[in-house]
Amino acid sequence: VEREFARLVGALAIKPETAPSMAEILTQMNQQNLTHDRKAEILSEIGLCKQKIQNAEKLFLMARMDETAFRRHLEENEHQIARLQSEMSDEAQIRQMIELTANLLADMGSRWEEANNEDKQALAQTLFSEIVFDLDTHQITGFTLKPWAEQFLQIRAAYDGAVSCLEGFPLPAERTMYTATGSASQNPDAGIKITPTTQITAKPPPQNTGRGTSCLSSQ
């Protein structure tokens, strides 16, 4: 897992001098997509997510929702809000995001081999929401960056001309969130989901759409 993660970090890393041009391209992409109607739609979706959080808080306080469900509901809506807000970022904010992400990736790459398990966990959780590792192939079959850094992956792939994979790693589908189901003992094709906590949960890999197979077979 650790060797494959280090390879993922290397695939995502960029040269510092490419950050300004990547920020410019991403800004242009956002401006093209951010029409008046789209901006109104984003603001409406953000308002809906905030209302869902308030509703969940009320249900939790009334003991009609347990803590696990409340935290999951809160995380999902906060993630969605952060992703939507990133679509409205200006060039300065985008450049700051790209530079921060690039610095975190460089830090991981330089410190990973010598870091202990606790430090590796801390490094990973600064940038990744989750990583899916297939127990059969011993390869990463999916990953999700933190909401504020999701657009980095978008421009990173576009910059290399990648469509469905980046140096063998399948790119996450837009707005796709993995959910844990099943167990490794019940499903021979199960993988493990490595979350930003120390908990490791068994789960099957994402459904094969042909995209993941072609990416992984290219290695």
Side-chain angles (χ1 to χ4, degrees):
V1 176
E2 294 180 0
R3 184 182 304 170
E4 186 73 349
F5 179 78
R7 196 171 70 83
L8 172 61
V9 169
L12 291 172
I14 64 171
K15 295 180 180 179
E17 58 268 25
T18 63
S21 58
M22 290 176 69
E24 183 179 356
I25 294 172
L26 183 54
T27 300
Q28 292 175 355
M29 292 168 59
N30 280 356
Q31 289 175 345
Q32 291 174 358
N33 295 328
L34 192 61
T35 62
H36 178 76
D37 290 343
R38 177 55 185 158
K39 185 173 182 179
E41 182 182 354
I42 289 174
L43 293 174
S44 177
E45 290 184 32
I46 289 175
L48 181 60
C49 288
K50 290 181 178 179
Q51 184 61 54
K52 288 180 178 179
I53 291 175
Q54 291 179 2
N55 293 342
E57 289 173 344
K58 291 178 181 178
L59 290 174
F60 179 65
L61 291 174
M62 295 169 62
R64 297 180 63 182
M65 176 183 288
D66 62 35
E67 184 175 357
T68 301
F70 171 68
R71 290 186 178 279
R72 182 175 64 250
H73 194 86
L74 185 65
E75 180 181 345
E76 289 174 354
N77 282 281
E78 287 181 340
H79 181 285
Q80 182 74 342
I81 289 172
R83 187 190 64 78
L84 290 166
Q85 289 176 334
S86 70
E87 290 188 41
M88 299 189 294
S89 300
D90 58 29
E91 185 171 1
Q93 292 171 321
I94 288 173
R95 179 174 295 192
Q96 183 180 29
M97 177 273 293
I98 290 176
E99 290 176 349
L100 175 59
T101 306
N103 289 337
L104 288 173
L105 288 168
D107 191 41
M108 288 183 200
S110 63
R111 295 175 53 193
W112 188 257
E113 292 297 330
E114 297 180 358
N116 57 36
N117 289 337
E118 185 177 351
D119 288 339
K120 286 179 178 178
Q121 189 74 8
L123 286 170
Q125 73 179 13
T126 59
L127 188 58
F128 292 87
S129 293
E130 70 175 26
I131 299 168
V132 183
F133 184 79
D134 190 288
L135 292 173
D136 291 329
T137 63
H138 301 288
Q139 293 175 326
I140 290 175
T141 58
F143 64 94
T144 307
L145 297 183
K146 295 288 187 180
W148 58 266
E150 283 186 356
Q151 284 199 316
F152 173 86
L153 182 59
Q154 177 186 352
I155 187 58
R156 178 67 181 84
Y159 203 77
D160 276 8
V163 177
S164 59
C165 62
L166 183 67
E167 296 189 20
F169 293 102
L171 298 175
E174 185 178 5
R175 304 187 186 186
T176 294
M177 292 291 292
Y178 297 117
T179 55
T181 56
S183 67
S185 60
Q186 296 171 336
N187 185 349
D189 296 323
I192 55 174
K193 180 178 73 173
I194 306 172
T195 64
T197 66
T198 53
Q199 182 180 5
I200 297 179
T201 308
K203 63 166 289 182
Q207 291 183 350
N208 184 0
T209 61
R211 181 187 66 183
T213 303
S214 62
C215 286
L216 294 175
S217 62
S218 66
Q219 297 181 50

